[in-house]
Amino acid sequence: MWNAAARSGIEEVLANDAFPALADPPALRVSPTAAGPDPAPSLQAFTIILMTHRYNRSVRAFCLLLLLPASLLAAGHDLSTPIRYASSDLSSGVPTIAANGTHFLTLWTMGPDLYGSLADAGSVTIPPAFTLRAFVNASAVRATAAAGSGYLAVWNQNDVPYLNTLTAAGALDRSVNLDAGKLTDPRIAFNGRRILVVDRTGNFVRPATIVASLYDLTGRVISRYTLPVFGGDSYDVTNAGGQFVVVTAGSSGAHEWVIADDGTLVQTRQIEPPPVNQNLIFYSASVAWKDGHIAVVWMQFQTEVLSLAVIQPDGTVVRSTLPTGGVPPNIGMAVVPVDSGFVVAWNVGGTAVSALRVDLAGALLDANPVHVGNAGLLSAVSSENTIGFSLATYQPFSPATLLVKVDARGFTPGAAGPAAVVPVRQLLPVVTGNVGGFTAAWIERSLRESAVAVARTAHDGEPLDGAALMPAGATASSAAIAHGNAESLIVWSAYPSIVATRVTPFGANLDPSPILIAPNQYSDQLSVAWNGSRYFVIWSTGEQLLGAFVASDGSVTLPKPLGISTVRGNYMSGPDVAWDGHQFIVVFGEVSQSGVTCGPCPEPIPEYIRVLRVSPNGDALDVIPQRIPGHHIRAHVASSGAESLIALDSYDSEVSTVTVHDDDGVLHVDSAIPLFSWPISTVSSDVTWAGSNYIVSWEYLDTLSEPHGGWLAAARLTRSGSRVESLVTPVGSPESISYSHAWGPSIAANDAGETALVIAETRPQSSLTRARLYLVTELGPMPAAPPAPHNAVSLFGGKTARIEWQADDVPGFLIEWSYDFGNTWRTYTVVSGTTRSITLLASIGNLFRIRAFGPGGLSDGPVTSIGSTQRRRAERH
């Protein structure tokens, strides 16, 4: 067990990231460490804890870390600090809101993360979000106030229910398993000692039921009742002076249920009988308690009748039908206590919220409902005379908060706004060298904009520009970058045009308004290279490649087609360009028409890669670009000035390199040299010339785990393509692996011969990607491929065979099969590193091979033959 001092030191390192620190694992209570300096944790402790935070994995991944030397854990550098906050363009889960007397806590999910925000009842500013738990895949989140100034919340974490204690600041203090099945749509209340959870089992149709479960703060169930109502009814719960009141409304009618602190069901009451028409069963209901009075509100969707019942301390029920102002109400309502009694609020058309006040006797204080906000009401909570409404905005669905003051004069609504601003996503980073270090650019994407950002780093990779430069421009997508004699040129797509800006090594933006390179021409992939006197920008419009030159003074030539011939109707994608000292070398993918029109495909997939030479004036020297043998999905090129090296990403998740020479005007393409193969995800690469050798970098992922962690690798190659050394470091996952060109490294060398890699990477504290830079000198030696499995045996019966093997702990195994006596091997499946057997379809004579894989690549593997005998032992390797 790690001591508190070591853990504190590790958490301090993690806290240096721009995001709030990751909460502790369930059932682990965090206590402040004693004052005074803490001894530094050991490197081994740091390695294990940091990587456990990074991946949040099980024992399998933990064991994997023991296979990696601690020197592999390169720190990397955020390219901008502090980061920007804005409303996110990512869809969010349904938010929940709670109040502790001074603040309103909103919780919601976004991707695999659980977020929170704290709004001050007296403030009008939008609060920043904090990551409550990262990579937990939370669902069914519901929060309420706890004893003191904290909060309680329940949620599923990867489908397992938890009861959670939160501090007044919204930090996770304690998390315990809840003695229940997976939560569906809970409502919760807390009476100071125990928590009552009312939830639905299953969907809205039979055999779904509504169950009230009382728990202590250890998560242990004290009592559990299945309420004798239809499982599709609406329900709510409130604390009522130490007891709990549950209300249900629907086809069973409207009912009140009172549950004592010891779990005893002490009272039931029917407030309204079941509807005569059992087709009219879609209800919405809410309940609140104040000074011994219970307010129950329910609404039937089709009849549009809004009903109120206030139950007096003596048991008298005061019923009334609430006015709707002639505007039909919609599903989604709440009742909350205030000083004057209660406030009832409901949705109008799902895009507005109406409210009115009633006193404790059930009398209306407002003759007509008052419009208090725009958006869809999801839940509400009150703190004295301030009501916090949790709202939903759409396109995309995202949480919003509305604070409304209530007094004797009525309502004073604030401005509805986002529940919080979250860290802006940083995507598609690119990098180039400069005399002082490196210059990088990336795309920052939020709800209302997608802009390009630019930042410089020192030689050691540390950022120099704080929150980075933000050149003017709208709707930015992919960017490209190159450096000249005295500045760097950043080019990006800003629909519907292609624009650029120049940035000096000292951080001065030379173009307050971006340079217009090509109006009304959009490309999501472009490239730029410097030839010693000007920049050459190329892009694809689909049917052709175009280019334009930008001089050091910012002047631009007219765009023109390069002038090449390909198959009519085919699509040209992903161009990349380098200057070899005499001409430009361009590589690009060619996609058939069927690839372009493939609806389910996330992006057009090239059938092959072509390479061509382009003159210093931008004219193609090869009318028919030469095709590189094999099938590849992406290519990048760099040049030493004597030859050029092309890095290729293949369909079979392999990185290879090809050297090209221009000999007396004839372009020669050498044979491909395999560099690295990975069986479970696409491998994405880039290449640069570092002054004395080429460096190829690539990123590859462990898609068998959650989250998808991975590795960033680099190999030094001679001018002929021979490998000198291979380096690697573990990294976080990209935000999405669906689009193969949307992740992977960009690599560049500067005038000092230093080389840097940039990637968009998630960190342990959030699944939102950050643009991060790694120096090649920070990477450690790549380990060897893992030991091959051994003792593989097969058991054949019917049409299936069971294969068993023995092996060391590794991330996973690749199962391959051969139908031609081992001449050709094809992937059958990939299994996790904990697997030691598999049952598969097979025929007599089939050969199967089991290979282990890890950060160092693929092992050899034993081969087992499927025969007519019951068991056959394979040759050992």
Side-chain angles (χ1 to χ4, degrees), residues 415-439:
V421 288
V422 300
V424 174
R425 296 188 293 153
Q426 299 178 344
L427 307 170
L428 303 172
V430 291
V431 66
T432 191
N434 65 44
V435 296
F438 299 92
T439 301

Side-chain angles (χ1 to χ4, degrees), residues 111-472:
D113 300 342
L114 177 60
Y115 285 89
S117 70
L118 283 172
D120 188 331
S123 174
V124 295
T125 60
I126 299 175
F130 54 88
T131 310
L132 183 58
R133 294 300 304 271
F135 299 107
V136 296
N137 297 304
S139 61
V141 183
R142 184 65 63 164
T144 189
S149 58
Y151 304 90
L152 285 175
V154 296
W155 61 70
N156 297 313
Q157 179 174 323
N158 293 313
D159 293 341
V160 177
Y162 285 87
L163 172 62
N164 309 277
T165 305
L166 282 64
T167 68
L172 184 62
D173 180 61
R174 188 169 182 266
S175 185
V176 296
N177 283 108
L178 199 61
D179 185 7
K182 177 183 176 182
L183 301 170
T184 301
D185 187 19
R187 304 292 185 270
I188 64 174
F190 181 62
N191 70 354
R193 292 197 331 129
R194 289 167 178 162
I195 183 170
L196 185 70
V197 179
V198 183
D199 198 14
R200 190 190 325 275
T201 62
N203 296 322
F204 289 87
V205 297
R206 291 181 173 86
T209 59
I210 296 174
V211 178
S213 304
L214 186 66
Y215 302 93
D216 62 22
L217 292 181
T218 69
R220 179 180 63 91
V221 66
I222 297 171
S223 65
R224 180 167 286 148
Y225 297 98
T226 298
L227 302 181
V229 296
F230 172 52
D233 286 359
S234 178
Y235 50 89
D236 196 13
V237 60
T238 187
N239 168 42
Q243 295 182 322
F244 300 95
V245 174
V246 179
V247 61
T248 62
S251 65
S252 308
H255 293 82
E256 175 209 26
W257 320 80
V258 180
I259 298 174
D261 176 69
D262 62 359
T264 305
L265 182 64
V266 297
Q267 179 177 306
T268 64
R269 186 196 311 267
Q270 184 183 78
I271 303 173
E272 182 177 88
V276 176
N277 186 346
Q278 283 292 299
N279 291 322
L280 307 180
I281 62 173
F282 199 0
Y283 278 66
S284 186
S286 182
V287 63
W289 178 89
K290 180 178 174 60
D291 297 338
H293 300 76
I294 300 170
V296 180
V297 186
W298 67 99
M299 186 263 290
Q300 203 290 314
F301 181 63
Q302 288 94 335
T303 62
E304 301 172 352
V305 175
L306 193 61
S307 301
L308 167 72
V310 178
I311 304 171
Q312 304 299 311
D314 62 3
T316 304
V317 179
V318 179
R319 284 282 309 268
S320 61
T321 298
L322 299 179
T324 61
V327 181
N330 206 337
I331 290 295
M333 61 182 312
V335 57
V336 295
V338 293
D339 284 351
S340 59
F342 300 97
V343 168
V344 182
W346 63 92
N347 276 321
V348 178
T351 59
V353 179
S354 292
L356 52 75
R357 298 168 300 153
V358 298
D359 64 18
L360 293 178
L364 290 173
L365 298 178
D366 299 295
N368 291 294
V370 178
H371 173 81
V372 294
N374 296 318
L377 171 63
L378 297 173
S379 60
V381 66
S382 61
S383 176
E384 298 180 341
N385 282 329
T386 302
I387 304 173
F389 291 102
S390 177
L391 308 173
T393 59
Y394 299 92
Q395 298 179 347
F397 181 92
S398 60
T401 298
L402 170 66
L403 300 184
V404 177
K405 302 287 186 180
V406 182
D407 56 26
R409 296 171 296 177
F411 299 95
T412 306
V421 288
V422 300
V424 174
R425 296 188 293 153
Q426 299 178 344
L427 307 170
L428 303 172
V430 291
V431 66
T432 191
N434 65 44
V435 296
F438 299 92
T439 301
W442 62 91
I443 306 301
E444 293 205 341
R445 188 167 296 162
S446 61
L447 178 61
R448 292 179 175 84
E449 65 177 359
S450 181
V452 67
V454 182
R456 302 166 304 131
T457 74
H459 289 280
D460 60 2
E462 289 303 310
L464 300 174
D465 294 312
L469 307 172
M470 296 292 292

Side-chain angles (χ1 to χ4, degrees), residues 583-642:
Q583 61 200 353
F584 295 102
I585 304 297
V586 175
V587 291
F588 63 95
E590 187 164 353
V591 187
S592 68
Q593 295 184 55
S594 60
V596 176
T597 58
C598 173
C601 298
E603 61 175 317
I605 302 297
E607 289 188 304
Y608 39 79
I609 299 296
R610 290 189 182 272
V611 56
L612 74 146
R613 297 163 299 166
V614 178
S615 74
N617 294 322
D619 298 316
L621 299 177
D622 303 296
V623 177
I624 301 177
Q626 189 164 338
R627 175 178 169 179
I628 296 178
H631 293 277
H632 310 282
I633 59 176
R634 229 173 358 260
H636 292 91
V637 61
S639 181
S640 69

Side-chain angles (χ1 to χ4, degrees), residues 774-789:
Y774 291 82
L775 298 174
V776 168
T777 53
E778 294 177 320
L779 277 59
M782 178 176 284

Side-chain angles (χ1 to χ4, degrees), residues 675 694-698 713-717 723-727:
L675 194 60
Y694 290 101
I695 299 182
V696 178
S697 66
W698 63 93
R716 296 185 189 273
L717 308 179
R723 187 185 324 212
V724 177
E725 66 173 340
S726 295
L727 308 165

Side-chain angles (χ1 to χ4, degrees), residues 47-82:
T47 298
I48 295 174
I49 295 296
L50 174 62
M51 292 304 297
T52 302
H53 272 66
R54 180 188 299 276
Y55 295 115
N56 194 21
R57 290 183 181 171
S58 61
V59 174
R60 181 184 67 78
F62 187 84
C63 293
L64 166 62
L65 299 176
L66 302 182
L67 303 176
L68 298 177
S71 61
L72 293 187
L73 300 180
H77 310 268
D78 285 340
L79 286 171
S80 65
T81 179

Side-chain angles (χ1 to χ4, degrees), residues 634-656:
R634 229 173 358 260
H636 292 91
V637 61
S639 181
S640 69
E643 75 292 310
S644 299
L645 189 74
I646 300 172
L648 299 164
D649 303 338
S650 301
Y651 283 91
D652 54 0
S653 298
E654 181 180 85
V655 176
S656 58

